[in-house]
Amino acid sequence: MFGLSTEKMQAIVAHFEAEMKKGLQRAGESVAMIPTFVTGRPTGQEKGRYLSLDFGGNFLRMCEVDLRGSRDFRITQQQYMVPPELMAADMRDLCDFIADCVDNFLAETGKTDVTMLQMGFTFSFPVNQTSINRGVLKQWTKGFSCPNAVDRDIVVMLQEAFFRKGIPVNIAAIVNDAVGTLMALGYCQPDTAIGVILGTGTNACYYEKLDRIAKWDGGPTGSDDMVINTEWGGFDNERVILPMTMFDRKVDRESSNPRQQTFEKMISGMYLGEVTRNCILYYVDRQLLFNGYSSAILNQQYAFDTPYMSDICRDDEAGDLPETRYILEEILQIRDTTLTDRRIVKAISDHVGRRAARLTACGLAALLKHCSLVDQRCTIGIDGSLFEYYPGFDSSVMQALVELYGPGIEQTVSFSIAHDGSGLGAAIVAMIAHKTALQCRSRQHSA
């Protein structure tokens, strides 16, 4: 049911690359291929202190990043939970909450009496970027649905909240989380060519030659390369190639954004648990699980968290699956599960997770081919709890790449976890943007 053959993966890769090329040609495609205005590559010698704000899900993170050169840096950070009610509140309310968190962070770090601070804003939702520090929200994802936000400039709205509250922070750059990951790991590992997010949501970015971006109308940039934000979560919204099951369709139909972010709903942490829950209930309804009985908790949408899948997949098959039993009986309140029940739930979790890894490999394979990197040594920087903590996810992705491109791919392509990717990367882009702005003003004054 959740199987994905090598032949099917090959077809997905071919369609994926074709959709990427369409996105580079014109706006409005499912794989948006958004120019980020981020040009050049970090050297690792950058220095300075900058703020970064990482917002892209249930939490936001404030950081002060001290770039020390020689690929060295230090980060001071604080995480804040976004109240669930703000996920659907008016955008002004959400911006005020974010501003309060920034104000709190400045107070906690002793920066209450300072001149204007420069900040990189990692905003992990689809944005049509119009300059390095301007971006219009295309649509909400990951369960957010705040009104008065779509088709409006996110940076302007948040900067206005800072002004209202007297917070001395200038948003120097808006940075997608995948772009931040690429820049951050590139600061430490110069052969980093692709940045990927595999957590609550998913996305990828890479360095593209400017002359291949047909829709670019921003003129010369001083660099041959520009980072492209693929927004690959929207791949195959047309439902042409991805192997959607009845469970995927149900998750999509009942989501806050039906018929959008199709690829994301099949591989990201936000949705894998819900796909698994729907599959479990399918077997319950046919009296193939739990003697036909569910529970009030299991019947709730998104009650089966993706981290449960990680724990279940990690459970020892040689025993009676005690971790699986604990999750089912103690957390989900399903009474008296049998070993057969637990084995079926483990099998479902294994299959859903493995399919996600193989689909992820399809996206990476398309990027590697598009960039002519299949036979070149390169690093793929990855940030996100799904890739880091889901058992065997990385090896399943690599195995799928081997099926697609042969065993030599293991020698040329490597994965590297980009810790603090969004925070460090956003600070690097903020530094570049701020220095560029100062240089432009200096040239204008000279003229």
Side-chain angles (χ1 to χ4, degrees):
M1 188 179 298
F2 293 103
L4 197 60
S5 68
T6 304
E7 292 74 20
K8 181 64 173 178
M9 288 195 298
Q10 290 169 338
I12 292 171
V13 171
H15 190 65
F16 211 124
E17 190 181 9
E19 291 298 294
M20 288 169 56
K21 290 178 179 177
K22 286 167 59 177
L24 289 172
Q25 292 290 321
R26 54 188 174 270
E29 298 296 329
S30 293
V31 183
M33 306 296 282
I34 300 169
T36 64
F37 296 82
V38 177
T39 57
R41 307 188 183 210
T43 66
Q45 302 308 313
E46 294 84 358
K47 295 182 180 181
R49 289 178 181 267
Y50 296 86
L51 299 178
S52 63
L53 168 62
D54 179 11
F55 173 56
N58 299 326
F59 295 89
L60 64 88
R61 184 169 62 115
M62 270 301 302
C63 305
E64 180 189 27
V65 180
D66 179 13
L67 301 173
R68 300 183 171 189
S70 301
R71 306 192 180 278
D72 185 31
F73 64 93
R74 295 291 183 272
I75 293 183
T76 303
Q77 61 184 310
Q78 179 67 45
Q79 184 168 269
Y80 303 86
M81 186 176 75
V82 178
E85 61 271 18
L86 285 181
M87 295 176 70
D90 188 86
M91 187 59 185
R92 181 183 173 109
D93 296 332
L94 180 59
C95 285
D96 281 344
F97 169 78
I98 296 172
D100 287 339
C101 293
V102 173
D103 196 34
N104 173 267
F105 179 79
L106 295 180
E108 290 283 335
T109 55
K111 292 177 178 58
T112 55
D113 185 22
V114 294
T115 55
M116 191 64 69
L117 300 167
Q118 303 301 317
M119 184 177 82
F121 179 25
T122 301
F123 186 71
S124 308
F125 298 91
V127 166
N128 181 24
Q129 202 161 345
T130 56
S131 72
I132 193 67
N133 65 343
R134 290 291 181 267
V136 175
L137 178 66
K138 293 174 59 183
Q139 67 188 49
W140 283 116
T141 58
K142 308 175 195 174
F144 280 78
S145 58
C146 300
N148 299 316
V150 174
D151 295 328
R152 296 183 64 186
D153 193 309
I154 296 300
V155 176
V156 169
M157 287 189 284
L158 184 56
Q159 190 72 67
E160 287 175 348
F162 291 167
F163 289 153
R164 285 196 300 272
K165 295 176 178 289
I167 300 172
V169 170
N170 175 61
I171 304 174
I174 183 170
V175 185
N176 178 271
D177 55 354
V179 177
T181 295
L182 175 63
M183 300 298 283
L185 194 63
Y187 184 81
C188 303
Q189 295 181 225
D191 68 343
T192 303
I194 297 171
V196 181
I197 297 297
L198 283 168
T200 304
T202 185
N203 197 11
C205 69
Y206 70 102
Y207 293 104
E208 181 62 275
K209 293 298 181 183
L210 199 62
D211 59 9
R212 295 178 68 181
I213 311 172
K215 65 184 178 183
W216 172 252
D217 57 4
T221 65
S223 173
D224 294 335
D225 296 327
M226 178 175 287
V227 178
I228 290 290
N229 165 24
T230 66
E231 288 296 344
W232 78 0
F235 170 63
D236 202 36
N237 283 341
E238 304 81 6
R239 300 190 178 186
V240 173
I241 194 72
L242 289 176
M244 295 184 74
T245 66
M246 68 177 79
F247 313 114
D248 299 299
R249 295 178 190 276
K250 186 172 187 293
V251 169
D252 176 66
R253 189 168 57 248
E254 295 175 350
S255 71
S256 61
N257 56 343
R259 295 270 178 169
Q260 297 176 356
Q261 298 298 106
T262 302
F263 190 57
E264 180 170 80
K265 289 170 183 171
M266 297 178 74
I267 71 171
S268 76
M270 175 81 182
Y271 300 100
L272 292 185
E274 181 65 1
V275 173
T276 301
R277 186 187 73 91
N278 278 292
C279 189
I280 290 171
L281 289 176
Y282 174 86
Y283 281 93
V284 170
D285 290 342
R286 282 149 187 79
Q287 298 193 24
L288 298 173
L289 264 179
F290 316 140
N291 203 29
Y293 289 93
S294 182
S295 70
I297 297 176
L298 185 60
N299 289 340
Q300 296 174 11
Q301 263 191 305
Y302 295 94
F304 193 92
D305 292 336
T306 300
Y308 297 164
M309 295 173 63
S310 298
D311 292 338
I312 288 169
C313 290
R314 198 177 288 112
D315 216 356
D316 184 6
E317 288 191 70
D320 67 349
L321 302 177
E323 188 63 32
T324 305
R325 181 173 193 163
Y326 176 80
I327 290 168
L328 295 174
E329 296 184 4
E330 300 300 323
I331 298 177
L332 299 175
Q333 297 292 294
I334 299 166
R335 298 175 58 186
D336 302 325
T337 64
T338 66
L339 181 57
T340 299
D341 288 332
R342 299 192 288 277
R343 284 175 173 165
I344 292 173
V345 170
K346 179 173 172 59
I348 294 170
S349 297
D350 286 344
H351 282 97
V352 172
R354 185 169 183 268
R355 184 191 67 169
R358 291 171 74 79
L359 286 172
T360 298
C362 290
L364 293 178
L367 281 168
L368 290 168
K369 184 180 178 185
H370 176 79
C371 299
S372 302
L373 291 171
V374 174
D375 298 318
Q376 295 186 34
R377 187 171 298 279
C378 72
T379 298
I380 299 175
I382 304 178
D383 191 10
S385 56
L386 182 66
F387 186 85
E388 187 168 3
Y389 298 116
Y390 197 98
F393 199 93
D394 55 345
S395 58
S396 292
V397 172
M398 183 56 76
Q399 175 57 42
L401 288 176
V402 168
E403 290 178 37
L404 290 165
Y405 291 137
I409 197 75
E410 292 182 282
Q411 307 304 316
T412 58
V413 174
S414 62
F415 306 136
S416 185
I417 298 294
H419 289 293
D420 291 316
S422 297
L424 172 61
I428 292 171
V429 177
M431 178 208 61
I432 295 170
H434 180 54
K435 288 186 175 180
T436 300
L438 291 177
Q439 290 168 359
C440 288
R441 283 200 288 270
S442 177
R443 284 195 297 266
Q444 289 170 356
H445 288 317
S446 299

